Structures are given as structure tokens and as C-alpha cells.
Amino acid sequence: MTSTSSLALVRLLQLASPALPVGAYTYSQGLEWAVESGRIRDAAGAGQWIGDLLRHGIGRLEAPLLACLIEHWHSHALTEITRLNADFLASRESAELRAETTQMGFSLKRLLTDLNDAELAPILAGLSNLGEVAFPTAWSGIAATWGIAPLDAITAYLWSWAENQVMAALKAVPLGQAAGQRLLAELGRDIPQLAQTALALPEVEWSNLTPAFAICCARHETQYSRLFRS
């Protein structure tokens, strides 16, 4: 597996940055309801919740799906990209989760136009053939075009997700900044192995069976007072 070049690393940092204008900071993915319902009460509870989702949810579905999408973008396999995009949309257990990934996918597709980068034109054309664009579908296309090594891309994607969850916990629990950094340090130790596993995980073993997560996401839709959109 080749490593990412210096320029591609810069591009990867851009893709994984909280400054990416897709609105990720507005979503908690059910964490806000987990706090409201008392499932998460402190830093330890937040760490267990985010860590479990990282290992058993995003790490076993979204991460390996991202790896396959990057491979298919390289080979311009639009039929497979369309299939995986539809599969991911179907895997969203609640209306908010589905709206989240399509809104972020739409925003990333719009950014492709705003970047005015001719190199990215084939990705924009491929996404235009899809009805609704899931966020990993658009993200993987940019990563593939910018020459980012799949393992590096998955690692950064998992980190970006974990960072967003910790930032949500800082606001919702709430937690202090130092507690948030301790959480990220703990979560970060698991990410390299999770990324390596996801890279080789066959599709028949993909899974996002996390019932408590699905319930919290659905309950959040009717939460009376909330900070986040999911």
C-alpha cells in the first residue's frame, strides 16, 4: 500500500477539516438524545458510546464502504458506485440520518463546482447521474481524484467522524475541552487498526447493527428542545 504524497496529504487535511462546508457540526447522530435520556451522563459514558459506534457501526459499514467507493472511482465503475450509494442510503435507520447524509452529500457536490478544479469534473459528472448523493460517495470521489491512499483516507474519515462526535458531546453533556481531548486521544488509539480492518473487510461482513443507536436517532426526531439536527 503506497503512502499519500505531501500534496495529497494537504488535500486530505482539507477534506477531513471541520472547516469543510458541509455542516457536519450541526449533527450529533443521536448522541443528543442519548444525553437527554440519561444514557450518557459524563465523559466516560460519552467515550463508551462513541467508541462502540466507531468499532461496531461506522468502522464496520461506512469505512469499508468508503474503501470500495474509492476503488470504484479509480476504475470509473459508475454502476457499482450507484449501487453502493443506494445501499448506504438504505442503511440509514431514521429520517434524520438519511437527511444528514444527503444534505452533506449535496453540499459536497456543490463544493465540487465552487472549487473550479477541472481535475474534479469527472466526479461531478458521475454524481450528477445519481438522484440523492450520500456523503461518503462524494467524499470518496474527491479522495480518489486527489490521489489519497485508501488507508490514509479511511483513517482521516474515521478521525473526522470521531472528532465531530466529541465536539457534539462537549456541547450536549456538557464536557470541558480537556475532557474532549482525552476522549480523542483514547479514540485515536483504535482508529489505525479499525482503518486497516475496514480496508480488507469483505462486503458480506459489513454490518451496522447498533439498535440503541437507531432508537436514539429515531427518538431525537421528536425531542422537544435540541441543539443538533440529528
Side-chain angles (χ1 to χ4, degrees), residues 62 65-66 69 73 85 88 101 105 133-141 157:
E62 208 159 333
L65 175 134
L66 190 78
L69 282 168
W73 279 117
N85 183 74
F88 185 72
T101 197
V133 177
F135 179 67
T137 308
W139 199 95
S140 60
Y157 191 92

Side-chain angles (χ1 to χ4, degrees), residues 14-15 20-22 73 104-128 133-135 137-146:
Q14 182 179 356
L15 267 180
L20 194 71
V22 295
W73 279 117
M104 290 173 64
F106 174 83
S107 296
L108 201 49
K109 179 182 173 184
R110 183 173 59 190
L111 180 63
L112 282 168
T113 302
D114 294 339
L115 286 173
N116 197 27
D117 183 346
E119 187 182 20
L120 294 170
I123 306 303
L124 182 59
L127 294 176
S128 296
V133 177
F135 179 67
T137 308
W139 199 95
S140 60
I142 300 174
T145 302
W146 279 349

Side-chain angles (χ1 to χ4, degrees), residues 32-42:
E32 187 173 26
W33 173 258
V35 173
E36 176 74 13
S37 64
R39 290 176 179 268
I40 298 175
R41 300 177 183 273
D42 50 25

